[in-house]
Amino acid sequence: MAGGAGIQGGDGGERAFRLAASAPGAVVTLVLILFALALLVGLSFRVNDGSLFGAGFTLDNFATVGTDPLYAMVIARSLTIAGLVTLATVATAYPVAYWLSFHAGRRRALVLFLVTLPFWTSYLLRVFAWKIVLAYNGVLNSAFTATGLWDTPSTALLNTPAAVVLTLAHAYAPFAILPILVSLDTIPRSLTEAAADLGARPFTTFRRVILPNSMPGVLAAAVVVFVPTVGDYVTPALVGGPSSTMIGTLIQAQFGKAQDWPFGAALAVVVMAVILAAILLVRLGDRRFGSRT
Amino acid sequence: MSTAAPAPRWLSGYVAGYLVFLYLPVALIPLFSFNDSIQAAFPLKGFTLAWYAGLAGNDTLRGALLNSLVVGLAAATVATGCGVTVAYAELAFATRFSWLVAGLARLPILIPGVIVGIALLIVVNLAGLGPSRIAIVLGHVLVALPTTVIVMRGAFAAVPRSIPEAARDLGAGEAVVFRRVMLPLAAPAAASAFMLAFLTSFDEFIVAFFLAGTEPTLPLYVWSQLRFPKSLPTVMALGTAILCASIAIAGAAEMLRRRGLRRLPA
């Protein structure tokens, strides 16, 4: 399989080079990605008997996920929160990408760097920053009570699902801009000129020409934001409180305190299935808008 | 994009506001790291460097920092090596197998960190390694791999086809073309990919959370300190140092990437 048609023309040296160049990637992807995920799926069908890989085949883990209302609720909550975060992030990122593509001019490189920079700084610290902003004796409360706008600090800021949505939307903001920008950049400028020549006002041009043509980027951005947020562990733990437990927290608990690895694996498989379904849905949408990438 | 029309004022204002929203919460961390109070609250008390002084004599912290550096360098080396070869094979060999590997290498983007962590936890336990420094390195290789592959693919794709073709016409074999032509042209991008992979590893929390044995990485140390209200100012001093280091490395990576693109004939 590693050969293919390309290799037959080459001599021994070419073959050795191709083998050597293919080896590192093949080992890492086939062993650490494919094999690891296959193991995870396999483990989800095992009985928890205290050994590493369990004994026997069972569907009980999935039956529990499907029938216990607790898991349905937490999965529904994770999807809702991740959905809201995705919506908020993409909607707020779009105008920035639009400005970068159509109006930035010479400032483009600088602003693009500023927008992507937080992506490379500590995620943990960005979440922690919101904790100190929203805490009872934190920045926002102290600022408002010190200026006399509020009489007493509010407890309604931290440990709410809203705090999780806000924090995640902030943490993943840089993710959304790049895919949208890439798709805006590929729109031929002749299209907008043609729309203007035909008498379209700027907003009509945006609604009928630019927005539909940039949908592939919007959908790609939605996927890139949705995937990590749906399984997030750090943010619910730091700013969410007990009322916003998400599925990542439950998976962690199965591999930690609860010591039920097969059940944790089943939860993980369900999450991957949900993500796969979301991506397939996006693919469908992509086809409808006619992807150019 | 040189044909930039002036933006409507509300749009420019929005972009400025967006940048403020992006940076303001994070800017509070350095601000309060110099504040002479346990509380991160207004009004600010006196200016102090005590929290930074507290970092210097902390042995656990030094151990975590050293561990993060070792793990980050190892993971970045492996991830860059894999990224270079996977991207090159995808473009130059273009076999079905090289496409499969390249596709799999991008897959970790589509898997939440929690799942990458537990999947590898099962693998390293099965292999008899258990949670350990090597386990974290493997985890960070996976997390950084999509970035290195994407950066290197862009770099190799930006080289005009006529350059390797000319080398082939002059009698260079495939290995020579790679080593003497393509790799030198893509070297700045490889350095950039290495730094980005290092940064990814340096900041990564959740995968390390599952795979760490007795030696925590820096984010794991920060996480362990977040539980204690008394250590919050110290965390903010440490956080400020981490932010500065991350920004410096990200800036250097960006400069290298641009220099790499400029070196190519248009």
Side-chain angles (χ1 to χ4, degrees), chain A residues 14 18 92 103 114 120 142, chain B residues 5 14 22-23 42 125 174 203:
Chain A
E14 309 278 79
R18 290 198 164 199
T92 51
H103 300 295
L114 284 178
W120 300 113
S142 65
Chain B
Y14 176 83
L22 217 51
Y23 282 92
F42 290 113
N125 273 319
E174 218 169 347
D203 280 343

Side-chain angles (χ1 to χ4, degrees), chain A residues 97 101 108 176-187 213-214 217 292-293:
Chain A
S101 184
R108 179 184 162 111
I177 291 176
L178 283 182
I180 301 175
L181 177 60
V182 167
S183 84
L184 283 172
D185 277 348
T186 59
I187 298 175
N213 274 299
S214 65
R292 293 180 314 281
T293 42

Side-chain angles (χ1 to χ4, degrees), chain A residues 28-46:
Chain A
V28 166
T29 54
L30 296 182
V31 175
L32 292 183
I33 298 176
L34 211 52
F35 178 64
L37 291 179
L39 266 184
L40 187 68
V41 174
L43 184 62
S44 68
F45 291 105
R46 306 295 280 188

Side-chain angles (χ1 to χ4, degrees), chain B residues 16-257:
Chain B
Y18 187 89
L19 287 175
V20 171
F21 166 72
L22 217 51
Y23 282 92
L24 196 61
V26 184
L28 292 170
I29 293 175
L31 179 69
F32 286 111
S33 72
F34 296 111
N35 187 29
D36 193 6
S37 163
I38 296 277
Q39 294 289 355
F42 290 113
L44 293 167
K45 302 269 181 348
F47 175 89
T48 179
L49 290 172
W51 312 122
Y52 286 91
L55 293 178
N58 187 330
D59 283 342
T60 326
L61 168 61
R62 195 173 315 130
L65 175 65
L66 193 70
N67 203 27
S68 264
L69 291 175
V70 171
V71 166
L73 289 175
T77 306
V78 177
T80 308
C82 290
V84 168
T85 51
V86 167
Y88 188 78
E90 184 189 11
L91 285 170
F93 306 168
T95 59
R96 221 175 294 163
F97 182 72
S98 67
W99 280 327
L100 171 76
V101 167
L104 281 173
R106 289 181 178 82
L107 198 58
I109 301 181
L110 299 178
I111 309 171
V114 172
I115 296 179
V116 173
I118 57 169
L120 276 178
L121 180 62
I122 303 168
V123 172
V124 295
N125 273 319
L126 201 68
L129 277 168
S132 59
R133 209 141 64 163
I134 296 175
I136 303 182
V137 171
L138 294 179
H140 286 181
V141 166
L142 284 201
V143 178
L145 197 56
T147 310
T148 59
V149 170
I150 289 166
V151 168
M152 291 320 297
R153 194 186 187 283
F156 286 128
V159 177
R161 287 181 64 104
S162 54
I163 295 179
E165 276 167 13
R168 296 300 301 240
D169 287 349
L170 294 169
E174 218 169 347
V176 176
V177 172
F178 175 71
R179 195 166 51 82
R180 303 276 304 266
V181 179
M182 298 302 275
L183 202 53
L185 282 173
S192 167
F194 180 89
M195 284 188 218
L196 297 182
F198 177 81
L199 271 182
T200 306
S201 164
F202 199 71
D203 280 343
E204 204 288 328
F205 169 74
I206 191 71
V207 171
F209 185 56
F210 284 101
L211 299 174
T214 50
E215 296 159 310
T217 58
L218 205 53
L220 292 175
Y221 173 79
V222 171
W223 177 259
S224 73
Q225 295 302 302
L226 288 179
R227 269 176 299 153
F228 308 114
K230 259 195 354 196
S231 59
L232 288 194
T234 318
V235 169
M236 285 194 261
L238 175 59
T240 307
I242 296 175
L243 286 177
C244 291
S246 305
I247 288 171
I249 300 176
E254 170 70 10
M255 267 168 47
L256 274 171
R257 198 186 60 83

